[in-house]
Amino acid sequence: MVIDFSKILNKQQRQNIANAFLTPFSWLYGTGVWCRNAAFNAGILKETSYDVPIVSVGNITVGGTGKTPHVEYIIEGLLANYPQYHIGVLSRGYKRLTHGFVMARDTLTPRDIGDEPYQIYHKFLGHIALAVCESRRKGIEEMLKIDPAINLFLLDDAFQHRYVKPKVNIVLCDYNRMPYNDRLLPLGTLREPMYRMVKQADFVVVTKCPNDIKPIDIKLIKEKLGLFPSTELFFSNVNYGNPVPVFPRANVKLDNLSWMSSDDFILGLTGIANQRPFVKYLRQFQAGVRVMHYDDHHDYTREDFKDITRVYSQHKGRRKFIVTTEKDAVRILNNAYFPPEMRDYIYYIPIRVGFLNYEDREFIPELVRRIQA
């Protein structure tokens, strides 16, 4: 006999049972994290410093804080205003099918270097060097051998990778999931306790803030984070651009989602860690919306595209489009299984980071000041 607890217990009771079950595992995880950090702090595990300044962009939660658009914002700001920097970007290349050190080049695909590194590399093609490697130390050393002109490194998602000692640590926090309201894995989404961010972050950026965030909210966040006076605190938001065809030669135009009416239909397609802001964005328009969500960095299969095409065909609409994220677009563009007959109808929404005017400071000049200190 199988007991369906969902019919016996309410949501809060089920959550309490799950919390009780997961709490010992969270304690064990926290103990392991504490021991590892203590080993680094005591010098048992060694951090390596380099003559080239290194900026780490990371977080203390599992995914979804906006690391890639912030890395792109930093690259764009440095290229525009500080041309003396020859930037090297180093990432792990999550969910790539290769192993070890791989230097990005035009002939490689997202499967070779990962979707986010591929996106960054092609967005700044010819202006940066980029590589992927599980070992950040090996990655830095190999990149310097190949391109000795690199004089600034950006490490993507490297706050937990303590074998490299960065000159500047940037830690991102999601406004909708602040660390002081969270718990350690697997009870919550924290990779490590908030105190390490407080102790070792040079910059904390609260991401995905509402455009109309109140001064009192900023004050409360600042108080609850409890950062040192030397830590720079910034607030950023996400700005969505107009739709862009995934396949550049699309014959059916979709210039602006606001032009769609209630007679139109959007099939949202996401394979990202936190799809909620993107879905919320799609639902603000008049068109009917259905969303198909896959795991973060999902590698779409032939069967996935059959399901997507079936759902798309079932829905009626005067005009119908598939609208996806920029990260998903990278994987779809390079996927041979995507149906050719659907290429005219799939668009992605580009996103850009914007920094809120907080205490009349600008992020890029403050970052450069820390790099040069």
Side-chain angles (χ1 to χ4, degrees):
M1 178 181 175
V2 178
I3 300 174
D4 187 353
F5 287 100
S6 65
K7 296 181 179 179
I8 300 174
L9 305 174
N10 62 38
K11 183 178 180 180
Q12 185 59 53
Q13 289 171 326
R14 295 197 301 272
Q15 185 64 54
N16 290 341
I17 292 173
N19 288 348
F21 175 75
L22 293 174
T23 294
F25 296 99
S26 185
W27 290 342
L28 287 172
Y29 175 83
T31 300
V33 170
W34 183 90
C35 291
R36 180 177 184 272
N37 284 326
F40 276 108
N41 295 338
I44 299 170
L45 295 177
K46 302 296 184 182
E47 293 180 300
T48 302
S49 298
Y50 293 89
D51 293 334
V52 177
I54 295 168
V55 176
S56 166
V57 181
N59 60 21
I60 59 171
T61 59
V62 178
T65 55
K67 291 185 298 295
T68 298
H70 281 80
V71 169
E72 292 176 349
Y73 180 92
I74 293 169
I75 295 171
E76 188 174 6
L78 292 176
L79 290 176
N81 301 291
Y82 301 91
Q84 68 268 32
Y85 288 117
H86 179 46
I87 303 167
V89 179
L90 180 60
S91 174
R92 176 187 172 190
Y94 186 63
K95 283 201 173 181
R96 61 190 170 111
L97 300 183
T98 57
H99 299 283
F101 175 82
V102 179
M103 193 78 177
R105 55 186 185 274
D106 294 355
T107 56
L108 299 183
T109 72
R111 292 189 173 192
D112 299 313
I113 60 174
D115 50 11
E116 291 166 335
Y118 180 94
Q119 175 182 318
I120 294 169
Y121 177 71
H122 282 270
K123 189 169 286 189
F124 300 100
L125 190 62
H127 298 285
I128 63 170
L130 185 144
V132 294
C133 191
E134 294 86 351
S135 167
R136 302 304 202 281
R137 284 191 299 200
K138 179 181 178 181
I140 290 169
E141 291 158 11
E142 291 295 324
M143 288 185 76
L144 288 173
K145 289 178 186 176
I146 296 170
D147 191 349
I150 295 172
N151 57 8
L152 177 66
F153 276 100
L154 293 180
L155 302 191
D156 180 28
D157 197 14
F159 190 60
Q160 283 74 37
H161 193 92
R162 294 192 59 182
Y163 290 99
V164 170
K165 187 174 180 60
K167 179 72 179 287
V168 181
N169 256 321
I170 302 172
V171 180
L172 309 182
C173 300
D174 187 339
Y175 172 86
N176 304 290
R177 193 178 59 192
M178 293 299 291
Y180 47 73
N181 292 327
D182 208 343
R183 300 180 183 182
L184 284 174
L185 291 167
L187 199 56
T189 65
L190 288 179
R191 294 177 174 182
E192 53 189 321
M194 195 175 82
Y195 69 77
R196 191 168 101 76
M197 178 188 76
V198 172
K199 290 177 64 176
Q200 296 188 291
D202 300 292
F203 288 77
V204 171
V205 181
V206 181
T207 69
K208 302 181 182 179
C209 294
N211 295 332
D212 58 350
I213 186 171
K214 305 289 191 299
I216 186 63
D217 294 328
I218 290 176
K219 181 180 178 181
L220 289 173
I221 289 171
K222 188 173 183 179
E223 291 176 354
K224 290 182 178 180
L225 285 174
L227 302 176
F228 293 150
S230 60
T231 305
E232 301 281 357
L233 178 62
F234 283 87
F235 295 81
S236 70
N237 58 7
V238 173
N239 299 307
Y240 293 93
N242 289 329
V244 177
V246 173
F247 296 90
R249 296 182 180 179
N251 294 314
V252 182
K253 299 301 181 185
L254 176 62
D255 296 321
N256 197 314
L257 293 183
S258 63
W259 295 353
M260 301 187 76
S261 70
S262 57
D263 295 328
D264 299 322
F265 172 71
I266 295 172
L267 176 60
L269 187 61
T270 71
I272 55 179
N274 179 11
Q275 80 278 18
R276 288 188 297 273
F278 179 74
V279 175
K280 182 179 179 181
Y281 172 76
L282 292 183
R283 294 194 186 281
Q284 71 177 308
F285 300 102
Q286 293 186 23
V289 175
R290 174 169 174 179
V291 178
M292 298 181 70
H293 179 63
Y294 295 84
D295 291 338
D296 193 18
H297 302 276
H298 181 68
D299 189 8
Y300 292 97
T301 66
R302 187 194 300 269
E303 292 303 313
D304 292 332
F305 289 132
K306 286 182 180 179
D307 289 339
I308 291 165
T309 302
R310 176 180 52 79
V311 172
Y312 178 84
S313 301
Q314 286 175 350
H315 282 78
K316 305 298 181 185
R318 181 173 59 90
R319 292 185 298 175
K320 299 196 302 180
F321 291 93
I322 298 173
V323 179
T324 190
T325 70
E326 191 168 5
K327 189 164 78 171
D328 287 293
V330 164
R331 297 193 297 274
I332 292 169
L333 177 63
N334 289 272
N335 193 314
Y337 295 135
F338 189 82
E341 66 274 14
M342 299 293 292
R343 290 183 177 181
D344 284 344
Y345 303 96
I346 181 165
Y347 280 70
Y348 72 87
I349 304 297
I351 61 173
R352 290 175 59 87
V353 165
F355 276 78
L356 307 183
N357 186 16
Y358 171 62
E359 294 184 348
D360 295 322
R361 296 173 304 131
E362 294 186 28
F363 179 77
I364 296 296
E366 289 296 326
L367 173 59
V368 171
R369 183 178 64 81
R370 287 294 183 101
I371 292 171
Q372 297 177 347

